[in-house]
């Protein structure tokens, strides 16, 4: 099963992945139309800069997801076979518990829709839109690496 | 639709693109692919790199930063970025005009021996516009042959001085703005956008866009319009009119177009760029008996000159020199393997040519001190020894003929006939006859409803869209609806390739009313007016239409619309702005201006401007829809003028 990996040495902080993510999760899927939609689609990935490096941050789909434990509405489920945390938006009550417990700050509240947004690895597509949007190849989409016990799968290479 | 069909509808282009793929030569289409996806902030106009506190970006989704470090918001940032492009486009056309005016000045002082004053009537008319007394020769009153020659030179000297002063003028109004209808001039005056001096408008606009000057997007755009007007009714008009004086005013002429004009057994010299001053000499040099003899000695049958882009349009309009292709075909001409020399001047010359030329024996030669490539042969053009320079360049081509690898030559067998050479003066004569030249028949055709209206379809190519598809689909749709289409630049070349620029095209494609006119006067339904600086011909022609009467008091009253369906250049933006500021409804295809990130600015351009200057922008990415929008606008104007319904529905 494929996961997102990052080579942060290559990230220039251009935010192209953010725009591609918002467009991919919009109604129209076209930039010029996306920005005119009534409820704006928001990027599920954000570039966080720290010291002299940029980190593309989005849900890492942890195998031991704190957000799933914290969800009182049972809107979150970890699907073993897909290797990802699934979010049933119809059950979500917008309590923001998942936002608070995420150790990576990867889940973001959409205040307008009162629903948290998180990476769904562009579930209908062959690969997440951010991968193609990254012109430097800092975002990598590949088979999961065998990870040492206790680490999370989609970890950043802090280079 | 195959991949290659998606790239271009032109069969010659498709054929060479296949060759490029087989030989692994990269073209603009491949480079676009490796640029995708293109930066969203850039496309929306939300990236500001003006000062060193940035680069700053505005979050188009409203979550992140809504202002830059200095506090500039999306409106200011997008407007400033756009204004800078207007200034650059204006500077390109106007600098071209300056060089031509300067050549006239050298010629009048006896320094540019290779040129002469070919259109004396136009010289005199222009001199009169500038208040120069053309009847009184310096010295005596009576003119013998030799004296009348002197008079001509004297007029040229005074005129060139006045023309060059237009560039450096600080106050007042550009003389050519007086060509516009009175009502239009009054609108400009009221808004304070009458251009004062050509260079001043460019400099002032650039000043207002630097950090911490103009923050009002409406004011930025108004100043942008003034700058654009200094191009359309200034620099470009100087370029067109003076070129007509020293290179000869075009008259309808037959020519051929597309890559098939390259000849397998000849030395092929391709001229490419925009300024015809040198290529004019190349035309002459390609007919030089001494050079032809040399070419034959090297095993060639002769010298074949062909053009790309607007340099091509210039030499086509005046000499019928064949056109090898439009903007996106510049690399392809070299990939045919049959080009000995590609000689370039300024504008629209892809940096990639150097690498493509290196795949073949082709010698790329730069000629203008403003436009050089590292490591590429540079033979500098000088007005004083123009013919000599042209001969030298052609000689390089002849010497290079023996280096051609015949096995790699692959010239597509596609070429098409065309008629070009229409100018505002010629339109007079064709319609009214040489001795009673008038625009009356044209106006009457519109008034009576035989002609629905006029459209200007101009501009570039852009690999973001199927090459030539937008131009030709739009133009076919327009002429089908009895709209006479005026064209310049790469758009004219696109339609010429599809056979729309021959009189016979009227029968196949035009509506009944337009067909009748084309048959009566023997013109194609699509008129080729020249290069992109020659868009100024459209402005003057439109002014004549108003002067003739019956179609309103102002340019914005005419049932007409403009469109740049496949644009890519900053010059296109400037042209769009001088058309809109002159009252013309203008559509841009490809992708819209980089302003969508600012709703206020986009609304100002596409809605509010109509109430201010009478014209406005529209962005559209479907050629049939473009045609519908233009027709709707034309009908709206017909209704406002209370014209009769169309003769043939």
């Amino acid at each position: 099963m494929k996961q997102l990996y990052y080579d942060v040495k290559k990230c220039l902080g251009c935010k192209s992945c953010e725009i591609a993510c918002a467009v991919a999760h919009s109604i129209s899927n076209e930039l010029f139309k996306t920005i005119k939609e009534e409820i704006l689609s928001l990027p599920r990935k954000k570039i966080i800069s720290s010291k002299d490096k940029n980190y593309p941050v989005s849900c890492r789909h942890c195998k031991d997801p704190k957000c799933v434990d914290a969800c009182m509405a049972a809107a979150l489920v970890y699907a073993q076979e897909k290797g990802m945390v699934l979010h049933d938006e119809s059950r979500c009550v917008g309590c923001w518990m998942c936002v608070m417990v995420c150790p990576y700050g990867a889940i973001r509240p959409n205040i307008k829709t009162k629903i948290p947004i998180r990476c769904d690895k562009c579930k209908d597509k062959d690969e997440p839109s951010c991968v193609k949007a990254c012109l430097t190849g800092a975002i990598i989409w590949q088979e999961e690496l065998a990870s040492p016990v206790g680490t999370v799968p989609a970890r950043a290479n802090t280079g | 639709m195959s991949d290659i069909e998606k790239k271009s509808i032109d069969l010659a282009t498709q054929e060479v693109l296949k060759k490029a793929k087989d030989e692994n030569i990269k073209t603009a289409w491949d480079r676009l692919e490796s640029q995708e996806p293109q930066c969203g902030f850039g496309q929306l106009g939300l990236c500001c790199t003006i000062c060193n506190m940035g680069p700053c970006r505005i979050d188009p989704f409203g979550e992140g930063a809504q202002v830059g470090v200095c506090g500039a918001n999306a409106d200011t940032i997008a407007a400033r970025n756009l204004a800078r492009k207007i200034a650059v486009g204006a500077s390109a056309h106007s600098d071209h005009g300056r060089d031509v005016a300067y050549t006239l000045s050298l010629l009048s002082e006896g320094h540019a021996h290779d040129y002469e004053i070919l259109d004396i009537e136009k010289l005199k008319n222009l001199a009169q516009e500038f208040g120069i007394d053309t009847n009184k020769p310096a010295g005596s009153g009576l003119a013998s042959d030799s004296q009348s020659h002197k008079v001509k030179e004297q007029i040229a000297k005074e005129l060139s001085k006045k023309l060059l002063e237009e560039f450096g003028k600080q106050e007042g109004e550009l003389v050519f703005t007086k060509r516009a209808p009175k009502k239009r001039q009054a609108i400009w005056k009221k808004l304070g956008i009458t251009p004062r001096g050509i260079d001043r408008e460019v400099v002032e606009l650039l000043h207002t866009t630097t950090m911490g000057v103009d923050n009002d997007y409406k004011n930025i755009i108004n100043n942008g319009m003034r700058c654009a007007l200094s191009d359309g009714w200034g620099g470009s008009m100087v370029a067109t009119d003076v070129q007509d004086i020293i290179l000869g005013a075009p008259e309808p002429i037959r020519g051929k177009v597309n890559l098939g004009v390259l000849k397998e057994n000849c030395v092929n010299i391709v001229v490419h760029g925009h300024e015809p001053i040198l290529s004019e000499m190349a035309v002459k040099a390609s007919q030089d008996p001494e050079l032809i003899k040399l070419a034959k000695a090297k095993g060639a049958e002769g010298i074949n000159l062909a053009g790309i882009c607007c340099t091509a349009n210039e030499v086509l309009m005046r000499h019928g020199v064949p056109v090898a292709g439009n903007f996106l075909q510049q690399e392809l001409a070299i990939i045919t393997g049959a080009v000995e020399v590609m000689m370039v001047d300024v504008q629209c010359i892809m940096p990639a040519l150097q690498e493509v030329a290196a795949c073949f024996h082709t010698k790329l030669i730069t000629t203008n001190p403003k436009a050089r490539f590292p490591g590429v042969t540079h033979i500098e053009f000088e007005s004083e020894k123009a013919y000599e320079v042209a001969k030298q360049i052609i000689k390089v081509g002849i010497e290079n003929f023996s280096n051609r690898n015949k096995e790699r030559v692959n010239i597509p067998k596609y070429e098409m006939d065309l008629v070009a050479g229409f100018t505002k003066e010629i339109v007079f004569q064709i319609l009214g006859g040489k001795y009673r030249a008038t625009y009356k028949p044209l106006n009457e055709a519109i008034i009576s409803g035989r002609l629905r209206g006029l459209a200007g379809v101009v501009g570039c190519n852009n690999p973001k869209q199927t090459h030539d598809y937008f131009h030709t689909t739009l133009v076919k749709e327009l002429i089908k609806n009895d709209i006479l289409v005026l064209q310049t630049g790469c758009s004219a070349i696109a339609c010429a390739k599809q056979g729309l620029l021959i009189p016979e095209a009227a029968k196949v494609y035009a509506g009944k009313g337009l067909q009748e006119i084309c048959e009566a006067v023997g013109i194609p339904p699509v008129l080729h007016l020249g290069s992109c600086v020659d868009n100024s011909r459209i402005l003057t022609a439109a002014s004549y239409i108003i002067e003739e009467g019956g179609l309103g008091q102002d340019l914005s009253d005419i049932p007409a619309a403009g469109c740049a369906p496949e644009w890519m250049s900053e010059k296109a933006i400037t042209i769009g702005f001088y058309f809109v500021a002159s009252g013309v409804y203008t559509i841009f295809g490809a992708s819209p201006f980089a302003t969508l990130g600012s709703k206020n600015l986009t609304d100002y351009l596409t809605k509010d401007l109509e109430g201010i200057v009478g014209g406005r922008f529209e962005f559209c990415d479907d050629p049939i829809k473009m045609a519908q929008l233009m027709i709707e606008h034309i009908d709206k104007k017909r209704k406002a003028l209370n014209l009769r319904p169309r003769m043939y529905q």
Side-chain angles (χ1 to χ4, degrees):
Chain A
M1 142 203 351
K2 285 186 169 178
Q3 295 284 13
L4 284 163
Y5 293 86
Y6 305 97
D7 183 350
V8 298
K9 288 196 300 281
K10 289 185 178 169
C11 178
L12 299 176
C14 74
K15 303 188 181 189
S16 290
C17 55
E18 289 186 15
I19 290 190
C21 179
V23 171
H25 292 89
S26 70
I27 298 165
S28 64
N29 291 324
E30 282 176 52
L31 174 66
F32 295 154
K33 291 179 183 154
T34 297
I35 59 163
K36 290 181 184 162
E37 282 169 18
E38 202 180 326
I39 296 170
L40 281 179
S41 167
L42 297 179
R44 285 127 201 262
K45 187 176 231 100
K46 277 279 175 184
I47 303 295
I48 309 291
S49 297
S50 173
K51 294 189 183 152
D52 58 348
K53 288 197 183 67
N54 305 308
Y55 300 88
V57 174
S58 60
C59 174
R60 299 176 176 202
H61 299 286
C62 309
K63 280 182 177 158
D64 175 21
K66 304 281 183 257
C67 55
V68 173
D69 294 346
C71 184
M72 60 174 181
L76 295 173
V77 179
Y78 183 75
Q80 195 88 40
E81 71 288 357
K82 290 181 179 163
M84 63 189 283
V85 177
L86 303 179
H87 182 208
D88 181 351
E89 292 186 2
S90 66
R91 295 186 75 113
C92 179
V93 295
C95 70
W96 308 137
M97 285 306 288
C98 55
V99 176
M100 280 191 277
V101 298
C102 175
Y104 305 102
I107 307 169
R108 307 176 46 245
N110 184 343
I111 309 288
K112 277 203 182 129
T113 58
K114 294 198 169 62
I115 275 183
I117 47 173
R118 65 194 303 152
C119 170
D120 57 2
K121 296 203 263 188
C122 287
K123 51 189 179 219
D124 310 324
K125 299 192 178 77
D126 294 339
E127 65 172 22
S129 299
C130 55
V131 178
K132 202 179 164 207
C134 184
L135 291 177
T136 60
I139 305 179
I140 300 154
W141 177 240
Q142 65 174 40
E143 286 302 324
E144 190 173 1
L145 301 169
S147 43
V149 181
T151 57
V152 288
R155 62 174 304 168
N157 170 6
T158 51
Chain B
M1 203 189 268
S2 75
D3 260 8
I4 278 184
E5 283 168 342
K6 269 185 214 150
K7 288 178 179 161
S8 176
I9 57 158
D10 173 45
L11 298 176
T13 299
Q14 290 178 6
E15 193 176 314
V16 182
L17 280 176
K18 275 181 210 142
K19 182 182 180 195
K21 197 177 172 201
D22 292 345
E23 301 190 7
N24 198 22
I25 300 167
K26 300 279 179 249
T27 63
W29 285 274
D30 304 303
R31 294 189 295 272
L32 171 64
E33 221 162 86
S34 54
Q35 278 297 330
E36 280 173 337
Q38 291 179 317
C39 174
F41 296 98
Q43 290 182 70
L44 296 171
L46 293 177
C47 175
C48 180
T49 59
I50 284 175
C51 86
N52 196 31
M53 294 191 288
C56 293
R57 281 163 300 174
I58 305 300
D59 182 349
F61 307 109
E63 274 188 308
Q66 293 303 296
V67 291
V69 178
C70 71
N73 61 13
D75 303 338
T76 305
I77 289 174
R80 285 196 305 212
N81 288 343
L82 185 62
R84 288 184 166 213
K85 290 179 185 171
I86 298 173
V88 176
S91 71
H93 285 148
S94 296
D95 211 33
H96 171 172
R98 184 204 320 276
D99 282 351
V100 181
Y102 190 60
T103 306
L104 180 69
S105 164
L106 286 174
L107 156 68
S108 71
E109 288 167 1
H111 297 308
H113 306 287
D114 300 323
Y115 302 94
E116 53 185 316
I117 293 160
L118 291 174
D119 192 335
I120 299 168
E121 203 184 324
K122 196 152 191 178
L123 172 78
K124 285 185 176 167
N125 288 344
L126 214 59
Q128 278 160 9
E129 273 188 85
F130 280 85
I132 297 163
D133 188 349
T134 53
N135 293 318
K136 209 173 84 190
S140 74
L142 288 168
S144 70
D145 266 6
S146 70
Q147 273 172 328
S148 82
H149 179 70
K150 256 186 203 157
V151 172
K152 191 170 74 178
E153 311 295 317
Q154 183 62 29
I155 297 171
K157 192 172 176 179
E158 287 176 38
L159 176 61
S160 60
K161 188 162 174 275
K162 294 261 188 194
L163 287 169
L164 287 168
E165 276 169 12
E166 291 289 277
F167 290 86
K169 230 160 60 174
Q170 304 301 320
E171 285 302 334
E173 295 164 357
L174 291 184
V175 172
F176 284 141
T177 57
K178 302 275 186 288
R179 288 183 177 181
K182 289 271 175 307
K183 200 170 165 190
R184 179 56 30 185
Q185 292 182 41
I187 291 172
W188 292 338
K189 213 168 274 177
K190 196 177 148 222
L191 292 169
I193 61 170
T194 310
R196 300 155 294 186
I198 297 169
D199 290 351
R200 176 172 182 180
E201 302 312 346
V202 174
V203 172
E204 192 169 308
L205 184 59
L206 288 173
H207 173 197
T208 65
T209 64
T210 194
M211 191 271 141
V213 185
D214 200 351
N215 301 312
D216 175 0
Y217 67 93
K218 292 183 184 173
N219 200 44
I220 293 170
I221 295 306
N222 289 1
N223 288 333
M225 287 195 288
R226 181 170 55 195
C227 178
L229 289 171
S230 82
D231 167 359
W233 298 86
S236 281
M237 231 171 236
V238 172
T240 298
D241 283 2
V242 178
Q243 279 169 191
D244 285 356
I245 291 172
I246 62 176
L247 309 178
E251 286 180 14
I253 190 165
R254 281 194 175 272
K256 285 195 185 297
V257 62
N258 218 344
L259 293 167
V261 304
L262 297 171
K263 288 186 185 152
E264 197 156 352
N265 302 319
C266 286
V267 174
N268 287 305
I269 310 282
V270 174
V271 294
H272 171 28
H274 282 75
E275 294 187 359
I277 299 289
L278 174 60
S279 46
E280 186 75 15
M281 288 300 129
V283 176
K284 218 164 135 191
S286 69
Q287 294 151 4
D288 188 301
E290 186 197 330
L291 287 176
I292 292 173
K293 205 172 138 196
L294 182 64
K296 286 187 174 160
K298 296 281 175 190
E301 281 176 12
I303 303 165
N304 181 42
L305 196 79
I308 301 264
C309 280
C310 282
T311 295
N313 285 323
E314 300 276 8
V315 287
L316 163 74
M317 293 277 284
R318 297 194 174 87
H319 303 285
V321 168
V323 179
N326 50 9
F327 174 70
L328 275 178
Q329 290 177 292
Q330 54 184 288
E331 298 171 276
L332 311 185
I334 295 176
I335 298 172
T336 63
V339 175
E340 273 60 54
V341 157
M342 182 176 275
M343 129 189 175
V344 298
D345 47 81
V346 290
Q347 301 169 23
C348 299
I349 301 149
M350 288 190 193
L353 287 183
Q354 185 174 9
E355 202 168 312
V356 177
C359 299
F360 295 88
H361 73 301
T362 308
K363 280 218 158 67
L364 182 65
I365 298 179
T366 53
T367 59
N368 193 302
K370 293 168 202 163
R372 297 186 64 159
F373 288 63
V376 161
T377 312
H378 182 73
I379 303 179
E380 196 154 308
F381 166 70
E382 289 166 58
S383 307
E384 293 89 337
K385 45 175 195 173
Y387 189 57
E388 205 181 304
V389 171
K391 270 173 75 174
Q392 193 188 341
I393 293 170
I394 289 191
K395 218 166 168 181
V396 172
I398 297 170
E399 301 287 349
N400 197 22
F401 183 69
S402 55
N403 294 326
R404 191 197 280 185
N405 180 349
K406 287 191 177 125
E407 281 159 32
R408 288 186 71 201
V409 173
N410 204 326
I411 304 171
K413 298 279 169 268
Y414 299 100
E415 58 173 20
M416 180 56 79
D417 291 323
L418 71 109
V419 179
F422 295 92
T423 62
K424 57 184 190 287
E425 293 85 1
I426 287 298
V427 173
F428 263 127
Q429 291 178 7
I430 288 176
L431 295 167
K434 201 161 188 161
Y435 298 101
R436 47 179 185 90
T438 169
Y439 266 62
K440 205 167 179 200
L442 176 64
N443 284 30
E444 277 177 357
I446 297 174
I447 294 166
S448 67
R450 181 167 276 128
L451 211 55
R452 195 168 190 168
L454 303 170
V457 180
V458 304
C460 338
N461 298 137
N462 189 328
K464 286 184 188 177
Q465 296 171 315
T466 307
H467 170 233
D468 289 350
Y469 169 72
F470 273 59
H471 291 303
T472 52
T473 311
L474 167 65
V475 168
K476 279 182 192 167
E477 193 66 19
L478 291 171
I479 58 179
K480 191 173 98 188
N481 283 281
D482 289 331
I483 292 167
L484 179 66
V485 177
L486 311 178
Q487 290 211 282
T488 60
C490 287
S491 184
I493 301 175
C495 291
K497 283 186 283 179
Q498 302 299 319
L500 297 174
L501 269 61
I502 43 175
E504 297 79 7
K507 231 185 173 87
V508 187
Y509 301 106
K512 200 174 171 206
L514 178 57
Q515 227 177 78
E516 284 177 0
I517 291 169
C518 292
E519 277 170 20
V521 283
I523 52 168
V526 182
L527 302 183
H528 189 338
L529 271 71
S531 65
C532 43
V533 293
D534 291 336
N535 281 316
S536 64
R537 294 192 204 275
I538 300 180
L539 296 176
T540 328
S543 304
Y544 282 143
I545 289 171
I546 291 302
E547 207 175 298
E548 186 61 50
L551 290 173
Q553 308 293 317
D554 186 10
L555 302 176
S556 60
D557 296 334
I558 305 173
C563 185
E566 300 182 19
W567 74 283
M568 63 89 204
S569 165
E570 288 163 317
K571 293 180 289 174
I573 296 180
T574 316
I575 294 168
F577 267 94
Y578 71 63
F579 270 102
V580 166
S582 300
V584 182
Y585 170 72
T586 305
I587 304 180
F588 273 66
S591 42
F593 290 166
T595 61
L596 294 199
S598 157
K599 190 179 178 302
N600 287 335
L601 174 60
T602 307
D603 284 351
Y604 190 63
L605 297 173
T606 57
K607 291 177 188 154
D608 307 350
L609 274 185
E610 189 162 23
I612 300 167
V613 289
R616 67 177 177 93
F617 286 101
E618 184 92 71
F619 302 118
C620 179
D621 57 6
D622 172 355
I624 298 289
K625 177 118 190 278
M626 282 175 183
Q628 283 165 354
L629 289 166
M630 290 168 85
I631 292 166
E632 268 168 37
H633 179 81
I634 285 169
D635 286 349
K636 186 175 99 180
K637 293 293 171 185
R638 290 189 67 87
K639 206 172 162 199
L641 287 169
N642 222 349
L643 300 181
R644 268 173 250 168
R646 279 172 73 201
M647 200 172 277
Y648 307 106
Q649 294 284 352

